[in-house]
Amino acid sequence: MLTGWKLSVIGIIIVGITGIVASITGLIQPGRAIALFVVFVLFIGALELLERIRSRRKKKGEAQSSK
C-alpha cells in the first residue's frame, strides 16, 4: 500500500492528467486548470510539511521521555 510522499506524487500526477484532459476537451479553461493544479500542489505540499513537523515532534517527545 502506498503511503506518504508516494501517494502524494501519484495524486499530483492523476490531478495533472485530469486537468490536461479537461482543458483539451473544453470542460475547463486551460488557465483555470493550471491555477487549480497549482493550488492542489501547494495544498499537498502543506500537508506533507505538516506531517514532517508532526513526526519530528513525536520523535523528540519519545527521546525526551526516555531520558
Side-chain angles (χ1 to χ4, degrees):
M1 186 171 156
L2 296 173
T3 58
W5 66 270
K6 294 176 187 177
L7 183 62
S8 298
V9 170
I10 289 177
I12 290 171
I13 291 171
I14 290 171
V15 169
I17 291 170
T18 304
I20 291 169
V21 170
S23 63
I24 289 174
T25 58
L27 295 173
I28 192 170
Q29 299 169 351
R32 184 169 285 179
I34 292 169
L36 289 173
F37 179 73
V38 168
V39 169
F40 179 75
V41 169
L42 290 174
F43 177 72
I44 294 297
L47 289 177
E48 288 293 323
L49 182 63
L50 287 173
E51 184 65 31
R52 277 193 183 169
I53 291 170
R54 188 172 73 178
S55 67
R56 282 185 182 171
R57 284 184 181 170
K58 196 177 207 182
K59 287 179 184 177
K60 283 184 180 179
E62 290 174 0
Q64 289 178 356
S65 63
S66 64
K67 286 185 179 181

